[in-house]
Amino acid sequence: MTGKLSGNGPGPRDVLPQGTRLPLLPDTNPLTGTAASGEGPFRRVVRIVNPNGLHPRLADWFKRTCAQYVCTVVVWNGETRADGNSLWDLIGLMAMPDSDVILEVDGPDASKAIDPLAGVLGSPGGENYTI
Amino acid sequence: MRLCNFIVRDAITPSLAASAPPGVPSTPRDPATVKTVKEQVVREMVVALHAAGHFRVSDVDEIVRAVLRREELGTTGIGRHIAIPHSRHPAADRLIGTLALSRDGLPFDSLDGEPVYVFILLVSPQDRPGDHLRALEAVVRTMRNDDFVRQLRACQTREEIWALLENAAPGW
């Protein structure tokens, strides 16, 4: 795993070297993202189905959900990494509609956090899309 | 995408006339002050786009309302003295935007509670979310560079701002 998993605020984005792949961890079920034991790190592939992609309001909702947990939350779009607690990072992911991102959680309550966080990321929205 | 790809040069406002109402406590989160300031800022920037040849005069009020409706759903004051008021609107046939500076800083219900000095307003067509996301990414990528923001805020004229945007390093 490359790149720091901690740190809040809009610091410089971490970008993995070209060609780097993020393997699923050995104890992670590739379909559900759940681990056999422990509190992470867990990873899950989440499709962005919101027709506006990961737009600022969705990113803000995700950030506020992250704040309910103490675990570290990282979202990867390709080789670009976002701290889940940083709105700037999340906007900078530029996650388009129908793209897949990788949600990664690690820490004491990671197993509790992964489902709600994946639910927000994969939410179809319901916002007023005319504005 | 770079800022100079979608910011309309002739609509750049080096010094906003918008200000907090006199005699009103200008605490950043005072709702009445913020509402007044947001309307002033957004209108000034949309009018600047109209004056630069974008949007019919009959569209101005509706675009202002659309941007303010978006603000009601959640502030676009994203912290670090930056705000990105934006909206989709059928009057836009492509993504366009403009940039404005406030010399004294304005209350904008920013996420970090700080006044906003740099405003970037985006108006995009309703059917191109990709362009919208690319523009937002360009804003945060550029504005997270403190040196760039410091230079930007020091600019006094439209020409200085435009030169800075054009000459910014690709990473900005």
Side-chain angles (χ1 to χ4, degrees), chain A residues 26-98:
Chain A
D27 64 346
T28 302
N29 181 323
L31 295 179
T32 65
T34 56
S37 62
E39 289 292 343
F42 305 142
R43 291 189 191 133
R44 185 178 297 179
V45 177
V46 180
R47 175 149 295 182
I48 304 291
V49 298
N50 189 297
N52 288 323
L54 184 51
H55 61 90
R57 271 179 288 160
L58 183 57
D60 186 49
W61 181 21
F62 183 78
K63 173 179 171 285
R64 284 186 280 110
T65 307
C66 284
Q68 297 170 20
Y69 302 95
V70 297
C71 61
T72 302
V73 180
V74 171
V75 183
W76 294 90
N77 182 16
E79 296 167 353
T80 305
R81 171 194 184 277
D83 177 346
N85 287 290
S86 167
L87 185 63
W88 287 58
D89 273 12
L90 292 166
I91 294 172
L93 272 185
M94 209 165 53
M96 297 291 171
D98 296 322

Side-chain angles (χ1 to χ4, degrees), chain B residues 135-155:
Chain B
L136 290 165
E137 187 273 343
V139 173
V140 299
R141 171 168 37 85
T142 308
M143 296 298 166
R144 71 193 318 157
N145 185 307
D146 291 336
D147 285 340
F148 179 87
V149 175
R150 199 173 300 119
Q151 291 178 50
L152 179 62
R153 286 178 56 186
C155 290

Side-chain angles (χ1 to χ4, degrees), chain B residues 19-101:
Chain B
S19 61
V24 174
S26 58
T27 51
R29 294 191 186 278
D30 172 63
T33 303
V34 168
K35 185 177 180 185
T36 303
V37 166
K38 283 192 175 189
E39 180 157 4
Q40 288 177 345
V41 169
V42 170
R43 181 167 296 279
E44 203 170 334
M45 295 180 80
V46 174
V47 167
L49 281 169
H50 165 67
H54 296 269
F55 307 133
R56 293 172 301 185
V57 67
S58 56
D59 289 327
V60 168
D61 282 347
E62 179 49 37
I63 293 170
V64 170
R65 280 196 292 270
V67 176
L68 293 175
R69 281 200 301 271
R70 166 60 185 87
E71 286 294 328
E72 289 174 3
L73 297 174
T75 184
T76 61
I78 59 173
R80 296 168 67 103
H81 309 301
I82 311 293
I84 321 173
H86 58 266
S87 181
R88 295 170 174 81
H89 196 276
D93 56 3
R94 66 178 176 87
L95 171 79
I96 61 169
T98 186
L99 186 152
L101 301 178

Side-chain angles (χ1 to χ4, degrees), chain A residues 1-7 14 16 72 74 76 81-83 104:
Chain A
M1 184 69 224
T2 311
K4 288 163 56 180
L5 292 179
S6 62
D14 289 349
L16 289 173
T72 302
V74 171
W76 294 90
R81 171 194 184 277
D83 177 346
E104 186 175 89

